[in-house]
Amino acid sequence: MSDLTRLTAAELADKIQKKDVSAVEVAQAHLDRIAAVDKTVNAFLYVDTERALSAARAVDEDVAAGREPASPLAGVPLALKDVFVMEGAPTTCGSKILEGWSPPYDATVTRKLLEAGVVILGKTNMDEFAMGSSTENSAFGPSRNPWDLDRIPGGSGGGSSASLAAFEAPLAIGTDTGGSIRQPGSVTGTVGVKPTYGGVSRYGLVAFSSSLDQGGPCARTVLDAALLHEVIGGHDPLDSTSIDAPVPPVVAAARDGARGDLSGMRIGIVTEFQGDGYQAGVTAAFVQAVETLKGLGAEVVEVSCPHFDYALPAYYLIAPSEASSNLARFDAMRYGLRTGDDSANSAEQVMALTREAGFGAEVKRRIMIGTYALSSGYYDAYYGQAQKVRTLITQDFEKAFESVDVLISPTTPTTAFRIGERADDPMAMYLADLCTIPANLAGTPAMSVPAGLSDEDGLPVGLQVMAPALAEPRMYKVAAAFEAARDAASGGALIHRVPELEA
Amino acid sequence: MPNISRDEVAHLARLARLAVTEDELDTFAGQLDVILQSVARVGEVAAEDIPPTSHAVPLTNVFREDLVRPGLTQQQALAGAPAAEDGRFRVPRILGEEA
């Protein structure tokens, strides 16, 4: 019954509880879909058929026994980004240096998913250590965008976004350090949410840039993302930066928003994120989205955030600096690859040979940039100055949120680019994160919701909604209202216009 | 400011424990130069009196009770090791020939 893969997570959970369908049938339908299309899409690095079916059976037993569901998503399949550890499932982070490594413990996110009865199908492809915007930096080949197989599905979480758009999974987990949830969401016509920093535990998330990394939900609808957000969010004593506060009520906000009334909501368009450098079709879809928001009763004004122009350079100093430190753990001693251990080479030589063989070009570039930025003599001009710019960006947000409830912009300046197009030009690749980075630097929540299709290439465009820290309900309300209006205006959800993949 | 030389890249690679090849040095020198010139734009911002932000949310130290709790077993800890011997990580020699 292949149409099970077309349903939303909320619909699937409901059908399972009503015994219209079993969780095992749902899991099997998605596993069949993966078997049929993933050779083409390459969204998954690992599929855990046995454990997925056994988790589904446990949900069916609960239903048969009349027990309360473990969560509102019990029995719903999910694709887990290969940067979160799961005991007994290989975790590679898209890197050869971790190929074959089997983690001895579960990440908090993994544990919460399992306890919620969510059926984890497997681990998804990503740019190596989450560094990239296309999945081309994966050591295991790029994932492909189901809208156009010659194009990238975004990155770093391109496996997760591709799995949603290819109907291989209704839910996925991503991590967003500079846009790695939102930009893949934008270019695949799916929903991606970066929660407030500290809103979702980082325990068991392989660190790239610790002060920026944030796990979050990916889905095909705003409500599904909200349901997943409430499952994975919350305080975790194992993560010292975890926020000790209840998860914001995002499901209620999404349901409220779906009623389509945004009167009283003040929305600010970020002045700096429009104009030159934005693809015409992206601008057109964004302008159309603004009209839709006005039609829902929102008051829309323009707000300048002058330091946002400096977010990209500040990010490409701060993130590589933290990465150069975090990735020092890959030293060929305790886990992962070891090369050149021939009894002649010293530990230090083995370390350098292993890191040379195990890391890809982008990871090496970023480690060296971070090493440079942290060197004495350069520290003040680079890393120190970037940290000050970070303060100014946070202040821009604070000032903006004095006059508006949420900020909006295109999620990324272009639609999905072609595989290979930017592979040899690191700076061109970095521009994909232009609009998403400020929220990472400030630690504030932001999400991408499909805005429409670009006129010139028929590819999805994302609308980014940004909110103050812990004010996720506002952005979910706006996104849900917009989604409902957009779907009504074009006769159905955007995602159902994705071309049928040859099975 | 930058204009990073091939020698400087070689130095960075040594600091970062990356045994890069001669070809890579050529490629990376050009690329790092472009990237560093671009990110040097942060210097255009007048930020003398601005405090730096290292973390998005204010951090305070968190204490917990000093209680014993289960950790990894020796077997689990060694399970991912590239080489183990006598229940320990086996590592290459740590001293140079001349030592």
Side-chain angles (χ1 to χ4, degrees), chain A residues 277-308:
Chain A
Y278 290 78
Q279 192 180 317
V282 169
T283 298
F286 180 71
V287 167
Q288 180 69 44
V290 169
E291 289 310 310
T292 303
L293 291 168
K294 285 181 186 165
L296 292 165
E299 181 196 332
V300 184
V301 295
E302 205 165 285
V303 180
S304 174
C305 297
H307 298 98
F308 280 18

PDB file of all heavy atoms in Angstrom, chain A residues 277-308:
ATOM      1  N   GLY A 277      21.727  39.556  -5.980  1.00  0.00           N
ATOM      2  CA  GLY A 277      22.213  38.279  -5.503  1.00  0.00           C
ATOM      3  C   GLY A 277      21.093  37.290  -5.211  1.00  0.00           C
ATOM      4  O   GLY A 277      21.355  36.132  -4.924  1.00  0.00           O
ATOM      5  N   TYR A 278      19.859  37.747  -5.271  1.00  0.00           N
ATOM      6  CA  TYR A 278      18.724  36.838  -5.067  1.00  0.00           C
ATOM      7  C   TYR A 278      18.133  36.485  -6.422  1.00  0.00           C
ATOM      8  O   TYR A 278      17.849  37.366  -7.236  1.00  0.00           O
ATOM      9  CB  TYR A 278      17.669  37.469  -4.146  1.00  0.00           C
ATOM     10  CG  TYR A 278      18.177  37.574  -2.720  1.00  0.00           C
ATOM     11  CD1 TYR A 278      19.068  38.583  -2.353  1.00  0.00           C
ATOM     12  CD2 TYR A 278      17.829  36.624  -1.772  1.00  0.00           C
ATOM     13  CE1 TYR A 278      19.587  38.653  -1.070  1.00  0.00           C
ATOM     14  CE2 TYR A 278      18.346  36.691  -0.481  1.00  0.00           C
ATOM     15  CZ  TYR A 278      19.223  37.707  -0.138  1.00  0.00           C
ATOM     16  OH  TYR A 278      19.745  37.759   1.131  1.00  0.00           O
ATOM     17  N   GLN A 279      17.964  35.203  -6.652  1.00  0.00           N
ATOM     18  CA  GLN A 279      17.384  34.724  -7.904  1.00  0.00           C
ATOM     19  C   GLN A 279      15.995  35.341  -8.087  1.00  0.00           C
ATOM     20  O   GLN A 279      15.234  35.458  -7.110  1.00  0.00           O
ATOM     21  CB  GLN A 279      17.290  33.190  -7.790  1.00  0.00           C
ATOM     22  CG  GLN A 279      16.975  32.461  -9.062  1.00  0.00           C
ATOM     23  CD  GLN A 279      16.906  30.952  -8.800  1.00  0.00           C
ATOM     24  OE1 GLN A 279      17.747  30.404  -8.094  1.00  0.00           O
ATOM     25  NE2 GLN A 279      15.907  30.301  -9.355  1.00  0.00           N
ATOM     26  N   ALA A 280      15.661  35.719  -9.312  1.00  0.00           N
ATOM     27  CA  ALA A 280      14.393  36.414  -9.574  1.00  0.00           C
ATOM     28  C   ALA A 280      13.188  35.608  -9.072  1.00  0.00           C
ATOM     29  O   ALA A 280      12.272  36.164  -8.456  1.00  0.00           O
ATOM     30  CB  ALA A 280      14.252  36.702 -11.066  1.00  0.00           C
ATOM     31  N   GLY A 281      13.205  34.309  -9.325  1.00  0.00           N
ATOM     32  CA  GLY A 281      12.081  33.475  -8.914  1.00  0.00           C
ATOM     33  C   GLY A 281      11.955  33.359  -7.403  1.00  0.00           C
ATOM     34  O   GLY A 281      10.861  33.175  -6.866  1.00  0.00           O
ATOM     35  N   VAL A 282      13.081  33.472  -6.707  1.00  0.00           N
ATOM     36  CA  VAL A 282      13.067  33.448  -5.244  1.00  0.00           C
ATOM     37  C   VAL A 282      12.432  34.738  -4.732  1.00  0.00           C
ATOM     38  O   VAL A 282      11.551  34.721  -3.864  1.00  0.00           O
ATOM     39  CB  VAL A 282      14.507  33.284  -4.680  1.00  0.00           C
ATOM     40  CG1 VAL A 282      14.538  33.518  -3.171  1.00  0.00           C
ATOM     41  CG2 VAL A 282      15.042  31.899  -5.010  1.00  0.00           C
ATOM     42  N   THR A 283      12.852  35.859  -5.305  1.00  0.00           N
ATOM     43  CA  THR A 283      12.282  37.148  -4.918  1.00  0.00           C
ATOM     44  C   THR A 283      10.781  37.178  -5.201  1.00  0.00           C
ATOM     45  O   THR A 283       9.989  37.609  -4.357  1.00  0.00           O
ATOM     46  CB  THR A 283      12.997  38.287  -5.682  1.00  0.00           C
ATOM     47  OG1 THR A 283      14.375  38.269  -5.297  1.00  0.00           O
ATOM     48  CG2 THR A 283      12.402  39.633  -5.356  1.00  0.00           C
ATOM     49  N   ALA A 284      10.386  36.695  -6.379  1.00  0.00           N
ATOM     50  CA  ALA A 284       8.964  36.715  -6.749  1.00  0.00           C
ATOM     51  C   ALA A 284       8.143  35.876  -5.775  1.00  0.00           C
ATOM     52  O   ALA A 284       7.072  36.300  -5.324  1.00  0.00           O
ATOM     53  CB  ALA A 284       8.792  36.203  -8.178  1.00  0.00           C
ATOM     54  N   ALA A 285       8.647  34.692  -5.427  1.00  0.00           N
ATOM     55  CA  ALA A 285       7.903  33.823  -4.492  1.00  0.00           C
ATOM     56  C   ALA A 285       7.834  34.472  -3.111  1.00  0.00           C
ATOM     57  O   ALA A 285       6.813  34.369  -2.413  1.00  0.00           O
ATOM     58  CB  ALA A 285       8.567  32.450  -4.408  1.00  0.00           C
ATOM     59  N   PHE A 286       8.909  35.153  -2.724  1.00  0.00           N
ATOM     60  CA  PHE A 286       8.927  35.812  -1.423  1.00  0.00           C
ATOM     61  C   PHE A 286       7.923  36.962  -1.393  1.00  0.00           C
ATOM     62  O   PHE A 286       7.148  37.107  -0.436  1.00  0.00           O
ATOM     63  CB  PHE A 286      10.344  36.324  -1.108  1.00  0.00           C
ATOM     64  CG  PHE A 286      10.445  37.026   0.215  1.00  0.00           C
ATOM     65  CD1 PHE A 286      10.367  36.314   1.407  1.00  0.00           C
ATOM     66  CD2 PHE A 286      10.587  38.412   0.280  1.00  0.00           C
ATOM     67  CE1 PHE A 286      10.440  36.965   2.642  1.00  0.00           C
ATOM     68  CE2 PHE A 286      10.660  39.069   1.498  1.00  0.00           C
ATOM     69  CZ  PHE A 286      10.593  38.347   2.685  1.00  0.00           C
ATOM     70  N   VAL A 287       7.903  37.782  -2.457  1.00  0.00           N
ATOM     71  CA  VAL A 287       6.955  38.909  -2.539  1.00  0.00           C
ATOM     72  C   VAL A 287       5.519  38.380  -2.469  1.00  0.00           C
ATOM     73  O   VAL A 287       4.661  38.938  -1.775  1.00  0.00           O
ATOM     74  CB  VAL A 287       7.207  39.716  -3.834  1.00  0.00           C
ATOM     75  CG1 VAL A 287       6.065  40.687  -4.107  1.00  0.00           C
ATOM     76  CG2 VAL A 287       8.540  40.446  -3.745  1.00  0.00           C
ATOM     77  N   GLN A 288       5.275  37.279  -3.171  1.00  0.00           N
ATOM     78  CA  GLN A 288       3.944  36.649  -3.149  1.00  0.00           C
ATOM     79  C   GLN A 288       3.604  36.189  -1.734  1.00  0.00           C
ATOM     80  O   GLN A 288       2.474  36.343  -1.256  1.00  0.00           O
ATOM     81  CB  GLN A 288       3.963  35.454  -4.117  1.00  0.00           C
ATOM     82  CG  GLN A 288       2.664  34.693  -4.211  1.00  0.00           C
ATOM     83  CD  GLN A 288       1.584  35.520  -4.902  1.00  0.00           C
ATOM     84  OE1 GLN A 288       1.850  36.153  -5.921  1.00  0.00           O
ATOM     85  NE2 GLN A 288       0.391  35.546  -4.320  1.00  0.00           N
ATOM     86  N   ALA A 289       4.589  35.631  -1.030  1.00  0.00           N
ATOM     87  CA  ALA A 289       4.367  35.164   0.347  1.00  0.00           C
ATOM     88  C   ALA A 289       4.006  36.331   1.261  1.00  0.00           C
ATOM     89  O   ALA A 289       3.133  36.215   2.127  1.00  0.00           O
ATOM     90  CB  ALA A 289       5.613  34.445   0.869  1.00  0.00           C
ATOM     91  N   VAL A 290       4.668  37.455   1.053  1.00  0.00           N
ATOM     92  CA  VAL A 290       4.373  38.639   1.860  1.00  0.00           C
ATOM     93  C   VAL A 290       2.919  39.065   1.646  1.00  0.00           C
ATOM     94  O   VAL A 290       2.198  39.391   2.596  1.00  0.00           O
ATOM     95  CB  VAL A 290       5.347  39.795   1.508  1.00  0.00           C
ATOM     96  CG1 VAL A 290       4.891  41.103   2.134  1.00  0.00           C
ATOM     97  CG2 VAL A 290       6.760  39.451   1.967  1.00  0.00           C
ATOM     98  N   GLU A 291       2.465  39.029   0.389  1.00  0.00           N
ATOM     99  CA  GLU A 291       1.061  39.378   0.097  1.00  0.00           C
ATOM    100  C   GLU A 291       0.115  38.421   0.807  1.00  0.00           C
ATOM    101  O   GLU A 291      -0.914  38.830   1.354  1.00  0.00           O
ATOM    102  CB  GLU A 291       0.813  39.361  -1.419  1.00  0.00           C
ATOM    103  CG  GLU A 291       1.486  40.509  -2.167  1.00  0.00           C
ATOM    104  CD  GLU A 291       1.210  41.879  -1.529  1.00  0.00           C
ATOM    105  OE1 GLU A 291       0.029  42.190  -1.260  1.00  0.00           O
ATOM    106  OE2 GLU A 291       2.187  42.612  -1.250  1.00  0.00           O
ATOM    107  N   THR A 292       0.458  37.143   0.802  1.00  0.00           N
ATOM    108  CA  THR A 292      -0.382  36.142   1.477  1.00  0.00           C
ATOM    109  C   THR A 292      -0.467  36.443   2.973  1.00  0.00           C
ATOM    110  O   THR A 292      -1.552  36.381   3.568  1.00  0.00           O
ATOM    111  CB  THR A 292       0.211  34.730   1.260  1.00  0.00           C
ATOM    112  OG1 THR A 292       0.306  34.490  -0.147  1.00  0.00           O
ATOM    113  CG2 THR A 292      -0.652  33.654   1.899  1.00  0.00           C
ATOM    114  N   LEU A 293       0.674  36.788   3.585  1.00  0.00           N
ATOM    115  CA  LEU A 293       0.693  37.080   5.022  1.00  0.00           C
ATOM    116  C   LEU A 293      -0.159  38.311   5.328  1.00  0.00           C
ATOM    117  O   LEU A 293      -0.888  38.345   6.326  1.00  0.00           O
ATOM    118  CB  LEU A 293       2.134  37.283   5.500  1.00  0.00           C
ATOM    119  CG  LEU A 293       3.004  36.019   5.495  1.00  0.00           C
ATOM    120  CD1 LEU A 293       4.479  36.370   5.695  1.00  0.00           C
ATOM    121  CD2 LEU A 293       2.540  35.032   6.570  1.00  0.00           C
ATOM    122  N   LYS A 294      -0.080  39.310   4.453  1.00  0.00           N
ATOM    123  CA  LYS A 294      -0.930  40.495   4.639  1.00  0.00           C
ATOM    124  C   LYS A 294      -2.401  40.114   4.552  1.00  0.00           C
ATOM    125  O   LYS A 294      -3.226  40.592   5.328  1.00  0.00           O
ATOM    126  CB  LYS A 294      -0.612  41.548   3.565  1.00  0.00           C
ATOM    127  CG  LYS A 294       0.687  42.306   3.790  1.00  0.00           C
ATOM    128  CD  LYS A 294       0.878  43.335   2.669  1.00  0.00           C
ATOM    129  CE  LYS A 294       2.235  44.015   2.776  1.00  0.00           C
ATOM    130  NZ  LYS A 294       2.580  44.724   1.519  1.00  0.00           N
ATOM    131  N   GLY A 295      -2.701  39.228   3.604  1.00  0.00           N
ATOM    132  CA  GLY A 295      -4.082  38.785   3.416  1.00  0.00           C
ATOM    133  C   GLY A 295      -4.625  38.050   4.636  1.00  0.00           C
ATOM    134  O   GLY A 295      -5.838  37.972   4.856  1.00  0.00           O
ATOM    135  N   LEU A 296      -3.717  37.489   5.439  1.00  0.00           N
ATOM    136  CA  LEU A 296      -4.134  36.770   6.650  1.00  0.00           C
ATOM    137  C   LEU A 296      -4.288  37.724   7.829  1.00  0.00           C
ATOM    138  O   LEU A 296      -4.558  37.292   8.956  1.00  0.00           O
ATOM    139  CB  LEU A 296      -3.096  35.692   6.990  1.00  0.00           C
ATOM    140  CG  LEU A 296      -3.020  34.524   5.998  1.00  0.00           C
ATOM    141  CD1 LEU A 296      -1.747  33.713   6.199  1.00  0.00           C
ATOM    142  CD2 LEU A 296      -4.250  33.629   6.139  1.00  0.00           C
ATOM    143  N   GLY A 297      -4.068  39.010   7.572  1.00  0.00           N
ATOM    144  CA  GLY A 297      -4.306  40.004   8.622  1.00  0.00           C
ATOM    145  C   GLY A 297      -3.055  40.526   9.296  1.00  0.00           C
ATOM    146  O   GLY A 297      -3.144  41.379  10.180  1.00  0.00           O
ATOM    147  N   ALA A 298      -1.889  40.004   8.885  1.00  0.00           N
ATOM    148  CA  ALA A 298      -0.648  40.458   9.530  1.00  0.00           C
ATOM    149  C   ALA A 298      -0.290  41.862   9.044  1.00  0.00           C
ATOM    150  O   ALA A 298      -0.586  42.243   7.918  1.00  0.00           O
ATOM    151  CB  ALA A 298       0.494  39.497   9.221  1.00  0.00           C
ATOM    152  N   GLU A 299       0.366  42.590   9.936  1.00  0.00           N
ATOM    153  CA  GLU A 299       0.896  43.894   9.557  1.00  0.00           C
ATOM    154  C   GLU A 299       2.351  43.665   9.160  1.00  0.00           C
ATOM    155  O   GLU A 299       3.135  43.146   9.954  1.00  0.00           O
ATOM    156  CB  GLU A 299       0.803  44.820  10.772  1.00  0.00           C
ATOM    157  CG  GLU A 299       1.281  46.224  10.535  1.00  0.00           C
ATOM    158  CD  GLU A 299       1.535  46.963  11.853  1.00  0.00           C
ATOM    159  OE1 GLU A 299       0.873  46.618  12.865  1.00  0.00           O
ATOM    160  OE2 GLU A 299       2.396  47.841  11.869  1.00  0.00           O
ATOM    161  N   VAL A 300       2.728  43.999   7.916  1.00  0.00           N
ATOM    162  CA  VAL A 300       4.079  43.727   7.442  1.00  0.00           C
ATOM    163  C   VAL A 300       4.830  45.034   7.222  1.00  0.00           C
ATOM    164  O   VAL A 300       4.343  45.925   6.527  1.00  0.00           O
ATOM    165  CB  VAL A 300       4.061  42.895   6.139  1.00  0.00           C
ATOM    166  CG1 VAL A 300       5.488  42.540   5.727  1.00  0.00           C
ATOM    167  CG2 VAL A 300       3.238  41.627   6.322  1.00  0.00           C
ATOM    168  N   VAL A 301       5.999  45.145   7.844  1.00  0.00           N
ATOM    169  CA  VAL A 301       6.835  46.336   7.680  1.00  0.00           C
ATOM    170  C   VAL A 301       8.252  45.887   7.323  1.00  0.00           C
ATOM    171  O   VAL A 301       8.568  44.697   7.395  1.00  0.00           O
ATOM    172  CB  VAL A 301       6.894  47.180   8.983  1.00  0.00           C
ATOM    173  CG1 VAL A 301       5.536  47.743   9.328  1.00  0.00           C
ATOM    174  CG2 VAL A 301       7.440  46.344  10.140  1.00  0.00           C
ATOM    175  N   GLU A 302       9.086  46.830   6.931  1.00  0.00           N
ATOM    176  CA  GLU A 302      10.479  46.494   6.652  1.00  0.00           C
ATOM    177  C   GLU A 302      11.328  46.880   7.867  1.00  0.00           C
ATOM    178  O   GLU A 302      11.088  47.920   8.485  1.00  0.00           O
ATOM    179  CB  GLU A 302      10.953  47.219   5.404  1.00  0.00           C
ATOM    180  CG  GLU A 302      12.095  46.496   4.736  1.00  0.00           C
ATOM    181  CD  GLU A 302      12.358  46.980   3.317  1.00  0.00           C
ATOM    182  OE1 GLU A 302      11.588  46.643   2.395  1.00  0.00           O
ATOM    183  OE2 GLU A 302      13.353  47.685   3.163  1.00  0.00           O
ATOM    184  N   VAL A 303      12.283  46.029   8.230  1.00  0.00           N
ATOM    185  CA  VAL A 303      13.136  46.299   9.385  1.00  0.00           C
ATOM    186  C   VAL A 303      14.591  46.101   8.964  1.00  0.00           C
ATOM    187  O   VAL A 303      14.938  45.075   8.377  1.00  0.00           O
ATOM    188  CB  VAL A 303      12.821  45.336  10.557  1.00  0.00           C
ATOM    189  CG1 VAL A 303      13.711  45.640  11.751  1.00  0.00           C
ATOM    190  CG2 VAL A 303      11.362  45.425  10.955  1.00  0.00           C
ATOM    191  N   SER A 304      15.414  47.082   9.278  1.00  0.00           N
ATOM    192  CA  SER A 304      16.833  46.947   8.929  1.00  0.00           C
ATOM    193  C   SER A 304      17.609  46.299  10.083  1.00  0.00           C
ATOM    194  O   SER A 304      17.434  46.664  11.242  1.00  0.00           O
ATOM    195  CB  SER A 304      17.427  48.321   8.617  1.00  0.00           C
ATOM    196  OG  SER A 304      18.823  48.191   8.420  1.00  0.00           O
ATOM    197  N   CYS A 305      18.431  45.344   9.732  1.00  0.00           N
ATOM    198  CA  CYS A 305      19.338  44.714  10.694  1.00  0.00           C
ATOM    199  C   CYS A 305      20.738  44.883  10.109  1.00  0.00           C
ATOM    200  O   CYS A 305      21.270  43.980   9.447  1.00  0.00           O
ATOM    201  CB  CYS A 305      18.984  43.234  10.857  1.00  0.00           C
ATOM    202  SG  CYS A 305      17.344  42.962  11.546  1.00  0.00           S
ATOM    203  N   PRO A 306      21.349  46.050  10.318  1.00  0.00           N
ATOM    204  CA  PRO A 306      22.540  46.444   9.547  1.00  0.00           C
ATOM    205  C   PRO A 306      23.727  45.487   9.669  1.00  0.00           C
ATOM    206  O   PRO A 306      24.523  45.392   8.734  1.00  0.00           O
ATOM    207  CB  PRO A 306      22.878  47.828  10.106  1.00  0.00           C
ATOM    208  CG  PRO A 306      22.127  47.956  11.392  1.00  0.00           C
ATOM    209  CD  PRO A 306      20.922  47.085  11.255  1.00  0.00           C
ATOM    210  N   HIS A 307      23.837  44.797  10.792  1.00  0.00           N
ATOM    211  CA  HIS A 307      25.009  43.925  10.952  1.00  0.00           C
ATOM    212  C   HIS A 307      24.823  42.528  10.365  1.00  0.00           C
ATOM    213  O   HIS A 307      25.760  41.737  10.360  1.00  0.00           O
ATOM    214  CB  HIS A 307      25.410  43.851  12.426  1.00  0.00           C
ATOM    215  CG  HIS A 307      25.801  45.180  12.975  1.00  0.00           C
ATOM    216  ND1 HIS A 307      24.926  45.970  13.691  1.00  0.00           N
ATOM    217  CD2 HIS A 307      26.941  45.897  12.859  1.00  0.00           C
ATOM    218  CE1 HIS A 307      25.520  47.100  14.010  1.00  0.00           C
ATOM    219  NE2 HIS A 307      26.746  47.086  13.519  1.00  0.00           N
ATOM    220  N   PHE A 308      23.619  42.226   9.873  1.00  0.00           N
ATOM    221  CA  PHE A 308      23.394  40.904   9.279  1.00  0.00           C
ATOM    222  C   PHE A 308      24.321  40.676   8.082  1.00  0.00           C
ATOM    223  O   PHE A 308      24.661  39.548   7.766  1.00  0.00           O
ATOM    224  CB  PHE A 308      21.924  40.735   8.855  1.00  0.00           C
ATOM    225  CG  PHE A 308      20.997  40.389   9.990  1.00  0.00           C
ATOM    226  CD1 PHE A 308      21.361  40.589  11.318  1.00  0.00           C
ATOM    227  CD2 PHE A 308      19.726  39.856   9.740  1.00  0.00           C
ATOM    228  CE1 PHE A 308      20.493  40.276  12.366  1.00  0.00           C
ATOM    229  CE2 PHE A 308      18.857  39.531  10.775  1.00  0.00           C
ATOM    230  CZ  PHE A 308      19.234  39.743  12.089  1.00  0.00           C
TER     231      PHE A 308
END
